[in-house]
Every structure is written in structure tokens, then in C-alpha cells.
Amino acid sequence: MDKTIGIFGGGQLGRMMAQAALPLNIQCTFFEANRDCPAAQMGQVIDAQLDQAIETFIESAEVFSLEFENTPLADVDQLIKHKQIHPPRQALAIAQNRLLEKALFDQLDIPVAAYRAVDSLQSLEQAVRELGLPIVLKTATGGYDGKGQFVLRTADQIAEAWAELGRAKHLVAESFVSFSREVSIIAVRGQDGDVKTWPLAENHHHHGILSHSIVPAPNSAKLQGVAQDYITRLLNHLNYVGVLTLELFVTEQGLYANEMAPRVHNSGHWSIEGAVCSQFENHIRAVAGLPLGSTELIRPTVMVNIIGEHPATAEVLALSGAHLHLYNKTEREGRKIGHITLMPTDHAELTNLCRQLAEILPVPLALTTDMQIDF
Ligand code: AMP
């Protein structure tokens, strides 16, 4: 092996990073409390719950990264006394706190919904007065996939919202954005400052969980440049190394940033087959100090998440051009356990594939058979 990269977390993102690393003769180790995690088949798992685990992990690799954005900062602090981590600690700290994140977006002139910090019932009432309704109340830390959120539509919900989330102490109230669609931009920055960006993904959710992404996001030629500019500002400001994701709302007034993830992202899984170099390989290249690969699109791509239950493998693979990625996770309602990549050549093939897929997937997805893609 030429190099070993230690990764905080051992979920499917770590698994796919390690899959991309192996052809480069790069091995990964994982700091993870679950020994049967998806990444376990790909490299050594250092049980995060054991005494001295962090020391063992620091010893296990030359350079470090993460696949879990709630990686404890205390662990990162211990690590950076001895070895380097990409992305930088600061990016992780900011992404773990919605208030810091929004302050950074403001500082870099990246539009965000109007917001207020909330830490008491009184400050929530004041935020409602100042911002108007509806607002989305979110915990500043610890939320994901829409958890830790309350949409306030009427003033008589204030007490209920506070009762549900007030325990968190640090909250953010933000104006409800009436968006037409949700997109994400993913970019990578190398150790030499080189930045490359993948095409925008249009993201569709079902019960708050990403169900599928369409790439390139239809009708996004103008949005691409703007989103690219925003994410480049973030990457350069943070002196970032590795892959960064920025989730955005498309509105009549333009793009609004929702949040950033300092890591590879579910809406970038399409890039394994759909781009010249995937988000996983480019992340590994960046962390290892290697030149970045092209982020160019090979063909319009649809990535469909497998949520809760496995479909029959043979039925998925019988679909023309389909690729199946399973994460070695047990089935559980609402859990992401794999994904399917479709690369249709025209609209008729796309419609046909979506219709067939809707029959194969055990859990109905918000997959429409009249999906739009720019071919
Ligand atoms: P988040 O955890 O911030 O990514 O939010 C989860 C989902 O809630 C987003 O993907 C949006 O669909 C929705 N959402 C979050 N913030 C807002 C907002 N300010 N206005 C409207 N919808 C929102």
C-alpha cells in the first residue's frame, strides 16, 4: 500500500471512499463504534468505544478525513496535535452549527433565508414578530434529514414548537423559503488550491429522506455558474481540502443556501458512474495530495436510493444500464441501504426505466414516470 487514510466514521460513505481508494493502492482505516459497519469489509475498523481508541486510530494512518459530519471536535483536536485532517477542523466546526454556518454564508455574500438565533421562548416570539410566518425552527446542532425541525405556520404553534425543541437551547428560526426545487452543488479542492465542481443535482425527498437525484439538474445552465461561485468562495475561504457539498433552494429570487456538508454526499453518488472522476475518488485524491480528476459528466444520470428494504438484485441488474450499490446494511424502515444508478440515453428510455424500477422497488418511491432530464 502506498498510503493509509484514516476516516472518522464507517458508514456507506466511508465504504465508497475506500472502494475508490483501493485502485490507487490507498488503504483506509475507520474510527467507528459499530464493528459491523458498511465500511468493515473495506478496511480495519478501530472500535471508537474502546479505551485508547483514538490513539490507536491516530497510529493507524498517515493522513485523516471523515465521512460523518458530527465527528466529535474533541477527537479531531487530539488528532491534529499529531497528524493532518482534511477537510480542516474549522469547516467541520462550522458545519456542525447552523448559526455559525449561516454567519459564514452572510460573510461570503451567499444568500440565505432571513434568520434569528433563538434560545428562549421570548426570543422565539420575537423572531416570529420580526420574520413573520411561516418559519422553520431548527436545532442549531445535531439535526439531520429534517430531524430537530418544526415548521411554524400560525402564532398559536409557538408554545408547541418550543415544547418540542426548546430543550436543545441553541436554535435557529428561519423564514420559510418558498422554493420551486432543491439542488446541491458538490465541489472538491486539492492541496494546491485547484477547485473542480460537478454539475448541479436536483434532489427529490420522500418523508424527509433523499429519494432520488437527477444530474444535471434540468434547466440549470444559469444556476450552475452561480452555485459554482458560492461553493468556490466557501472552499477558498476555509482553505478547504477534499469534497464539500452545498444544498440550495431554487427560488424566483435566485439560489438560497440551506446548509453545507463537509464531506461526500448522497446527492453525489451518481458520479461513480456518471462523471469522469467520482466524488469519492476525488476526495481520496485531495486528501492524499494527488492531482484531481475531471468532474465532467459522462451522461445524464439518475440516482435512486434504496430505502428500508432490498429489491431483488437480479431484477435491478436486468434493467438496461443500471448499476446497483449495496451497503451491507440490515433492513430498517427509513434507512438508506443502497442506491441504483440509471444512465438512460434518451427520454423514452428514462420513462421506461422509471416505470420498471417503480415495480421492482419494495418501498414506493416518489419516482415520477414523467421525470425531466436535459439530454
Ligand atoms: P435541512 O435539515 O436544513 O436540510 O432541512 C431538511 C428539509 O426541510 C430541506 O431539504 C427542505 O425541504 C426543508 N426546509 C429546510 N429549511 C427550510 C426553509 N427555510 N424553508 C422551507 N423549507 C425548508
Side-chain angles (χ1 to χ4, degrees), residues 99 102 112-118 123-138 152-153 158 171-177:
L99 285 164
K102 285 182 194 297
V112 282
Y115 68 94
R116 296 286 184 277
V118 166
S123 59
L124 175 57
E125 286 165 344
Q126 191 177 344
V128 170
R129 276 196 300 277
E130 289 176 8
L131 299 173
L133 289 169
I135 61 166
V136 187
L137 183 66
K138 303 178 177 179
L152 266 146
R153 296 186 188 279
I158 292 177
L171 297 152
V172 54
E174 57 184 63
S175 289
F176 190 88
V177 179

Side-chain angles (χ1 to χ4, degrees), residues 98 113 136 138 146 149 174-177 179 182 205 247 249 258-259:
R98 290 184 191 273
V136 187
K138 303 178 177 179
Q149 293 194 14
E174 57 184 63
S175 289
F176 190 88
V177 179
F179 56 83
E182 295 186 70
H205 300 86
E247 296 181 22
F249 298 128
N258 178 27
E259 61 180 356

